[in-house]
Amino acid sequence: MFTGLSAFPLTPLVDDHLDEIAFSALIGRLNRAGVDSITALGSTGSYAYLSEQERARVAHLAVENAGDTPVFIGVGALRTSQVLAHATAAQRAGAAGLLLAPMSYQPLTEADVFELFRTLSEHTDLPVIVYDNPGTTHFTFSLDLYRRLTELPGISSIKIPGVPALAAEAREHVAKIRAVIPEHVSIGVSGDASAAQGLAASCDVWYSVIGGTLPELALRITRAVQADNTTEALAESARLAPLWELFAECGGSLRVVAAIAEQLGLAQRSCLPLPILGLDHSDRARVAACLIRLGL
């Protein structure tokens, strides 16, 4: 289940309320495209900005519109009790797995993070993805913490940050992680610009931002690696270099994928939760030009 392409869709808003029609359409679109799984309420899904009730509704809509595609639900929150409440709601909605990032305001220790995951693993029967995203959480997982966490029951995958650009360094990086975790735990790469390299370096799954909005493009890369055609995968990723450059220059991927969704009519204008304003006019023009070059 934790292999291939896992697409991370936006959670579009309209007038500061959940846009249920747009979100449901995004999920249905991913199912029809043939992604291997859908991860709702990841960072791309703005989980940290939504209320408990909104998140429960998103989980329900995601499962309802995903057909037979497995749905993983992000359950990160500042307090452990809130994480457990989100996990319970996700399980009731029919989620196939949970994604947990160690959110914090005060800096967390490794002991804090281990206890968080241990408590969740005891609370739920669903498999859990460890979400290592230092860019948003400001917490860095050590190899030893990976080892300890993956000894817990139910920990089934690790979502790692982007791998090094050079193939040999990427393989070495992934191999070091693989050496300390059980064989049944999958390694998933994020950081879309390095995804092709990560998959080629033996990552099992791509936890993909762009896959949540432009699934066909992400599937070309994923399926090429699965067919042992790394050259094609890297070429497809290189073709998307203008997108990766926008991600890097616009403060991350969220504003860019929101602009893409708005440009393609998949979400209404200003679909992000305030105070996130989205891209300005000039960067939106760059997004539009990029989509034209990609034939979209």
Side-chain angles (χ1 to χ4, degrees):
M1 184 163 61
F2 300 100
T3 59
L5 178 69
S6 190
F8 280 54
L10 292 161
T11 305
L13 303 183
V14 58
D15 297 327
D16 204 40
H17 291 87
L18 175 64
D19 189 340
E20 295 192 8
I21 294 173
F23 179 74
S24 298
L26 282 171
I27 298 297
R29 190 166 178 265
L30 297 177
N31 176 52
R32 292 190 297 275
V35 301
D36 297 295
S37 61
I38 297 168
T39 305
L41 295 174
S43 296
T44 308
S46 301
Y47 71 96
Y49 295 89
L50 304 179
S51 70
E52 182 177 347
Q53 293 74 25
E54 287 171 325
R55 291 172 66 164
R57 182 60 177 161
V58 167
H60 173 79
L61 290 171
V63 174
E64 183 178 59
N65 290 279
D68 58 358
T69 305
V71 174
F72 311 139
I73 298 294
V75 296
L78 291 174
R79 293 169 58 193
T80 299
S81 59
Q82 295 167 338
V83 169
L84 301 184
H86 295 315
T88 297
Q91 190 154 3
R92 286 175 179 164
L98 306 174
L99 172 75
L100 176 58
M103 283 182 66
S104 69
Y105 179 79
Q106 299 293 342
L108 296 175
T109 68
E110 288 203 352
D112 296 331
V113 173
F114 180 82
E115 185 64 16
L116 171 64
F117 280 91
R118 186 197 65 76
T119 303
L120 178 60
S121 71
E122 290 185 350
H123 175 80
T124 184
D125 295 328
L126 292 176
V128 175
I129 305 164
V130 175
Y131 189 1
D132 181 356
N133 187 4
T136 56
T137 65
H138 309 293
F139 178 84
T140 300
F141 287 76
S142 67
L143 285 175
D144 186 61
L145 185 55
Y146 281 160
R147 178 190 61 77
R148 294 175 62 212
L149 289 174
T150 54
E151 290 173 352
L152 293 170
I155 303 298
S156 299
S157 185
I158 301 173
K159 180 181 186 290
I160 67 171
V163 301
L166 295 178
E169 293 180 6
R171 287 193 299 270
E172 181 182 5
H173 178 70
V174 175
K176 285 180 179 178
I177 298 171
R178 175 55 63 198
V180 300
I181 67 175
E183 186 176 348
H184 72 271
V185 176
S186 76
I187 299 174
V189 65
S190 59
D192 283 6
S194 69
Q197 198 66 266
L199 291 171
S202 298
C203 286
D204 305 288
V205 54
W206 176 11
Y207 292 114
S208 176
V209 172
I210 201 66
T213 306
L214 301 174
E216 292 83 4
L217 300 185
L219 280 166
R220 289 176 195 163
I221 294 171
T222 306
R223 299 298 183 242
V225 176
Q226 290 176 326
D228 292 324
N229 194 339
T230 300
T231 300
E232 180 181 338
L234 293 173
E236 284 292 331
S237 183
R239 195 171 71 90
L240 302 183
L243 281 179
W244 312 150
E245 291 168 7
L246 283 166
F247 285 7
E249 295 171 15
C250 296
S253 58
L254 178 60
R255 291 173 175 85
V256 177
V257 293
I260 291 171
E262 292 168 11
Q263 177 72 22
L264 296 178
L266 303 173
Q268 294 193 38
R269 187 66 178 260
S270 303
C271 71
L272 294 174
L274 294 171
I276 304 173
L277 294 176
L279 297 184
D280 62 22
H281 179 75
S282 62
D283 284 333
R284 286 178 181 275
R286 293 175 64 198
V287 168
C290 184
L291 293 176
I292 290 172
R293 286 196 298 271
L294 292 171
L296 300 172

